[in-house]
């Protein structure tokens, strides 16, 4: 099978979201005298494997349920286009499930070991839940992504787990400012999903994929999008306020706000669903630079 189709299937550009959350958490931990590179590496690999698992499971699930069809506006999926067979994709799902488990287990063994059996079991069960959730977003009799619960799952996995869960592994505590930061990054990731859902709102609804955008309708989905990003900025301000050290930190943070405002203006006036594709890619990059700016700003401030 051609490698380029598998690269296409894992949706390489979306992996920036996993990278940015885990790296941001690590940068903050390092600025406070915690964190080691081995734990960071295991966190990053586990998160990326889980996102790849979710992406290919979504390709598989949407294909067998008929959501991927000629009416779909987003980029063609590999199964829908005939580039990868259902059997091959199912094998890939099994492989990435195993890889996610192996690296997830190594991560918690490295960072927790068996010194705290309760905490070890808590994270062990968490890894299993992450793998299960990555698959069941689109696969199964009642996939939760088809029941309006995708946004909540993104907040949990790309916000609280990606930021807060990894931060706890580095430091063994979970402060209020990290809670605010988890909300900020999680809401931006929700906005990425919401663009995807607004783009395919009609086709999804016709095929009984009831995303939150589909339930709200395009008008209120746009309002929801605006509120998500405004709240993300607000929680970002709260995080920086609690960690204020010098002006450079705020400069790194505020630098991103004009790009988010410009993005919202574009979203408001989009009438052609195809135009959501460009804004989706832009928001992935904005989320990446937003996360890195906060992390670098905190790191830079710690030296002064």
């Amino acid at each position: 099978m051609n490698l380029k189709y598998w690269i296409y299937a894992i949706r390489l550009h979306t992996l920036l979201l996993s990278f940015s959350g885990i790296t941001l958490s690590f940068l903050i931990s390092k600025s406070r005298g915690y964190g080691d590179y081995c734990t960071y590496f295991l966190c990053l690999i586990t998160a990326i494997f889980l996102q790849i698992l979710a992406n290919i499971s979504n390709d598989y699930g949407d294909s067998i349920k008929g959501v991927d069809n000629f009416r779909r506006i987003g980029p063609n999926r590999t199964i829908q286009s005939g580039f990868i067979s259902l059997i091959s994709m199912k094998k890939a799902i099994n492989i990435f499930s195993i890889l996610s488990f192996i690296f997830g287990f190594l991560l918690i063994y490295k960072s927790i070991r068996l010194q705290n059996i309760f905490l070890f079991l808590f994270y062990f069960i968490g890894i299993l839940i992450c793998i299960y959730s990555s698959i069941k977003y689109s696969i199964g009799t009642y996939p939760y992504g088809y029941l309006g619960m995708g946004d909540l799952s993104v907040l949990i996995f790309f916000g609280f787990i990606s930021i807060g869960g990894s931060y706890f592994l580095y430091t063994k505590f979970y402060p209020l400012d990290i809670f605010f930061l988890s909300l900020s990054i999680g809401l931006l990731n929700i906005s990425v999903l919401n663009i995807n859902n607004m783009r395919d709102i009609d086709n999804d609804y016709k095929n009984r994929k009831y995303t939150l955008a589909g339930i709200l309708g395009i008008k209120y989905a746009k309002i929801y999008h605006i509120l998500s990003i405004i709240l993300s900025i607000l929680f970002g301000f709260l995080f920086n306020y609690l960690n204020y050290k010098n002006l450079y930190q705020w400069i790194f943070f505020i630098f991103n706000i004009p790009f988010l405002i410009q993005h919202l203006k574009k979203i408001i006036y989009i009438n052609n669903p195809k135009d959501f594709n460009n804004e989706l890619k832009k928001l992935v990059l904005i989320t990446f630079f937003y996360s890195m700016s906060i992390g670098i700003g905190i790191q830079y401030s710690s030296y002064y």
Side-chain angles (χ1 to χ4, degrees):
M1 189 64 67
N2 199 316
L3 180 60
K4 71 177 182 180
Y5 297 137
W6 286 105
I7 294 173
Y8 190 74
I10 67 175
R11 289 179 251 172
L12 200 60
H13 68 282
T14 67
L15 301 186
L16 281 174
L17 299 174
S18 290
F19 176 85
S20 58
I22 297 296
T23 303
L24 170 57
S25 172
F26 176 68
L27 290 173
I28 295 170
S29 301
K30 289 296 287 183
S31 73
R32 298 172 179 179
Y34 300 96
D36 64 89
Y37 288 98
C38 183
T39 301
Y40 164 67
F41 173 78
L42 290 171
C43 271
L44 185 60
I45 294 299
T46 302
I48 288 175
F49 281 159
L50 284 168
Q51 188 172 357
I52 291 174
L53 175 61
N55 288 346
I56 61 177
S57 295
N58 189 244
D59 197 317
Y60 181 90
D62 282 354
S63 294
I64 62 176
K65 287 179 169 53
V67 176
D68 286 345
N69 53 50
F70 68 93
R71 291 187 297 271
R72 187 175 182 272
I73 296 172
N76 290 333
R77 300 289 184 84
T78 53
I79 294 177
Q80 171 200 1
S81 304
F83 298 140
I84 298 175
S85 68
L86 283 169
I87 294 174
S88 296
M89 190 64 82
K90 194 170 184 179
K91 289 179 180 178
I93 290 170
N94 291 333
I95 290 169
F96 278 99
S97 296
I98 294 169
L99 287 173
S100 297
F101 175 79
I102 290 172
F103 280 90
F105 182 83
L106 289 174
L107 168 63
I108 58 176
Y109 181 78
K110 165 67 176 64
S111 55
I112 300 173
R113 297 186 182 275
L114 296 176
Q115 298 169 353
N116 188 327
I117 190 64
F118 174 79
L119 194 58
F120 183 90
L121 288 174
F122 177 81
Y123 268 89
F124 180 79
I125 293 170
I127 290 294
L128 297 179
I129 291 173
C130 286
I131 293 171
Y132 179 85
S133 300
S134 296
I135 297 170
K136 292 300 180 180
Y137 181 89
S138 300
I139 295 176
T141 306
Y142 300 106
Y144 66 88
Y146 284 54
L147 301 173
M149 297 175 62
D151 298 60
L152 177 61
S153 72
V154 165
L155 178 63
I156 293 171
F157 294 112
F158 285 87
F160 293 117
I161 293 178
S162 179
I163 303 295
S166 60
Y167 183 86
F168 186 86
L169 288 177
Y170 298 131
T171 65
K172 303 303 182 292
F173 61 92
Y174 188 85
L176 180 62
D177 63 329
I178 294 299
F179 173 75
F180 289 144
L181 186 61
S182 298
L183 283 171
S184 181
I185 302 301
L187 285 165
L188 278 182
N189 280 275
I190 282 177
S191 300
V192 172
L193 176 64
N194 190 54
I195 296 177
N196 183 81
N197 292 339
M198 286 192 291
R199 179 194 63 202
D200 295 310
I201 191 169
D202 292 329
N203 186 54
D204 285 349
Y205 209 81
K206 287 176 182 176
N207 288 278
R208 298 182 180 180
K209 183 177 182 179
Y210 302 122
T211 63
L212 189 55
I215 294 169
L216 292 173
I218 192 64
K219 176 183 176 181
Y220 290 104
K222 286 185 177 183
I223 294 173
Y224 168 66
H225 191 83
I226 293 167
L227 289 174
S228 295
I229 289 182
I230 290 174
L231 285 172
S232 174
I233 295 171
L234 175 61
F235 286 121
F237 265 108
L238 287 172
F239 171 80
N240 277 280
Y241 175 77
L242 292 174
N243 289 278
Y244 177 71
K245 292 181 179 178
N246 58 48
L247 186 60
Y248 294 109
Q249 180 180 326
W250 282 104
I251 292 173
F252 277 104
F253 171 71
I254 293 173
F255 172 79
N256 297 275
I257 295 178
F259 296 100
L260 287 167
I261 293 173
Q262 183 64 26
H263 164 74
L264 289 178
K265 287 181 179 178
K266 291 282 184 66
I267 290 294
I268 291 170
Y269 293 108
I270 284 179
N271 292 315
N272 186 346
K274 291 183 179 180
D275 293 336
F276 283 117
N277 279 323
N278 287 333
E279 289 308 308
L280 189 152
K281 293 175 182 177
K282 287 179 184 177
L283 188 57
V284 169
L285 289 174
I286 291 171
T287 302
F288 170 73
F289 285 114
Y290 177 87
S291 302
M292 293 301 94
S293 295
I294 293 175
I296 293 170
I298 291 292
Q299 272 283 333
Y300 189 81
S301 299
S302 67
Y303 295 120
Y304 294 93

